Amino acid sequence: MKTHYPVIISLVSPGILVERLHYGPYSHYWWQLSPLLPAESKKDEKNTYFPIRVNQKTKATLNNHEFTTTIVVGNKDNNNFLPGYVCQCEAIVEIANDPTTAISEVYSKVFATETRYSGLLIMGWNNENIIKELCDDVSFISQSFLLDKIKIFVYGTGYSSHTDWFHAGPGYKSSLLYKFNENKQALFVSKIEEDFSCILKIYQDQILKSTIKGKNPIDVWKTLGLIKKFNGNQLFGVENYVIQSLNKKQKVLTCSPQEWKNPSIMESLFDFHLKRRTTIMYTENYKFNIRELRAWNAFLHAVGAHNVTPWSNDDECQVIF
């Protein structure tokens, strides 16, 4: 009778988020659909993701041998925009485009067998505690939904007073895959810029093929002249009711100094501006990173605490908010 050995998975390192990958044009390759969907996600018919983090490393004990799998930038096809998976057992190392292939190829060479293991299992992606750790410091978790057969992937949100955009605003980013030149698949990336211009960039074979700029999403897609079955708001993704809700949550919360003693207001401001972007406890010699400084900058402006430094910009010591 064949012996079935238990599979023991441990997270060696959660890895890191990389802005240009997880929130850039090719971001939809760097998020994994969670197999552990919470009840509210199923009810709202939205898809919940967690990040595929660079340098995430897991250790799996299979048949009394240790296998480590690490996520790297660049895969077997030498595509530097996509994740790769490096699996190692003793002196045997393989890189693959997906974790299932990586672990299975190494296991095959170690034991001379065709046994295959699930990449989700080996990476710990079906483990609730590991997924929670991978999402622990994520400021925005990407979402997706289907527009007929087209998947709209939303990886940034923003608020504005534009009711004709369903209150989407600067910072909003989404993408979809569709056919372009020579009927080949292309990546269509939509953005709303700080000046409220709407941008659509089209990438094919990892090359930027076209950029269209317009005053609103509908004009942008009319100019392109593709997927005429849907309007620009739908193709940007801003019309979807779940995405509308996420955009509206980005409406900046503010208060006056007279409201600083109101714990409910201050807690809401803390949650909005600081909770997921800063360290809760600071040591005496703690060094702030740029992300944290920006978060504190936004928080202080929101509560009306700006232009309060008692020295001029010419002084040696400067703290500018």
Side-chain angles (χ1 to χ4, degrees):
M1 180 180 292
K2 184 177 180 180
T3 302
H4 293 277
Y5 295 92
V7 179
I8 302 172
I9 308 294
S10 60
L11 182 64
V12 178
S13 171
I16 60 173
L17 293 173
V18 179
E19 184 79 17
R20 68 178 179 86
L21 299 175
H22 293 95
Y23 299 104
Y26 293 88
S27 61
H28 76 279
Y29 294 106
W30 288 92
W31 294 84
Q32 175 69 36
L33 187 62
S34 174
L36 305 172
L37 292 178
E40 59 268 23
S41 294
K42 295 177 181 178
K43 181 179 178 181
D44 292 339
E45 297 181 349
K46 68 180 181 180
N47 291 326
T48 300
Y49 290 81
F50 60 87
I52 299 174
R53 301 171 70 114
V54 177
N55 293 332
Q56 181 199 334
K57 185 176 183 179
T58 55
K59 180 174 68 176
T61 302
L62 307 173
N63 203 359
N64 295 321
H65 284 64
E66 287 189 355
F67 294 76
T68 60
T69 306
T70 306
I71 299 173
V72 296
V73 180
N75 58 21
K76 196 170 184 178
D77 298 329
N78 198 30
N79 189 323
N80 291 324
F81 296 100
L82 306 185
Y85 299 84
V86 178
C87 184
Q88 180 173 2
C89 179
E90 298 175 349
I92 299 176
V93 181
E94 290 288 338
I95 183 170
N97 296 353
D98 63 88
T100 296
T101 301
I103 183 66
S104 298
E105 287 186 354
V106 174
Y107 191 91
S108 175
K109 290 184 178 181
V110 172
F111 296 107
T113 177
E114 297 301 317
T115 301
R116 293 180 66 80
Y117 281 93
S118 163
L120 287 175
L121 172 67
I122 296 304
M123 298 307 300
W125 290 346
N126 59 354
N127 183 302
E128 187 173 358
N129 292 328
I130 289 178
I131 289 179
K132 184 177 180 181
E133 186 168 351
L134 296 178
C135 294
D136 188 52
D137 60 348
V138 179
S139 58
F140 175 74
I141 295 178
S142 298
Q143 306 286 333
S144 73
F145 64 91
L146 286 176
L147 182 65
D148 196 7
K149 295 182 180 180
I150 302 172
K151 184 171 80 170
I152 309 293
F153 183 82
V154 178
Y155 59 100
T157 55
Y159 176 84
S160 77
S161 59
H162 284 267
T163 56
D164 53 333
W165 299 358
F166 300 90
H167 293 289
Y172 180 83
K173 297 180 287 186
S174 67
S175 65
L176 62 87
L177 294 171
Y178 198 75
K179 294 178 180 179
F180 189 52
N181 284 344
E182 300 178 357
N183 212 30
K184 292 171 58 180
Q185 182 172 270
L187 178 65
F188 295 73
V189 177
S190 305
K191 294 176 64 178
I192 298 178
E193 301 284 14
E194 292 297 327
D195 62 359
F196 292 93
S197 61
C198 296
I199 306 291
L200 178 64
K201 293 186 176 182
I202 305 171
Y203 298 85
Q204 198 170 53
D205 298 324
Q206 289 78 54
I207 298 173
L208 178 61
K209 295 291 186 178
S210 180
T211 300
I212 300 172
K213 185 175 182 178
K215 61 182 181 180
N216 58 55
I218 291 178
D219 282 351
V220 167
W221 276 94
K222 276 186 177 179
T223 300
L224 179 61
L226 289 179
I227 323 181
K228 297 179 181 180
K229 181 179 179 180
F230 303 104
N231 65 47
N233 282 334
Q234 293 171 309
L235 293 167
F236 260 59
V238 300
E239 193 171 307
N240 178 270
Y241 76 97
V242 173
I243 304 306
Q244 288 184 48
S245 176
L246 291 173
N247 283 327
K248 289 177 182 178
K249 288 180 180 179
Q250 298 306 307
K251 184 177 181 180
V252 177
L253 300 177
T254 61
C255 77
S256 66
Q258 290 73 30
E259 296 173 299
W260 289 358
K261 293 183 179 181
N262 187 317
S264 177
I265 291 176
M266 297 307 292
E267 184 176 352
S268 296
L269 285 159
F270 172 82
D271 289 345
F272 183 86
H273 292 284
L274 298 174
K275 188 173 183 179
R276 303 191 73 174
R277 298 177 175 88
T278 63
T279 300
I280 302 301
M281 299 295 294
Y282 295 104
T283 59
E284 182 177 354
N285 297 317
Y286 183 83
K287 292 185 178 180
F288 289 84
N289 59 42
I290 293 177
R291 183 186 183 205
E292 289 176 310
L293 287 174
R294 287 174 177 170
W296 277 105
N297 185 7
F299 173 78
L300 291 172
H301 272 79
V303 300
H306 46 87
N307 296 327
V308 296
T309 49
W311 48 76
S312 70
N313 288 346
D314 295 329
D315 291 332
E316 182 178 352
C317 181
Q318 296 183 28
V319 179
I320 301 174
F321 291 106

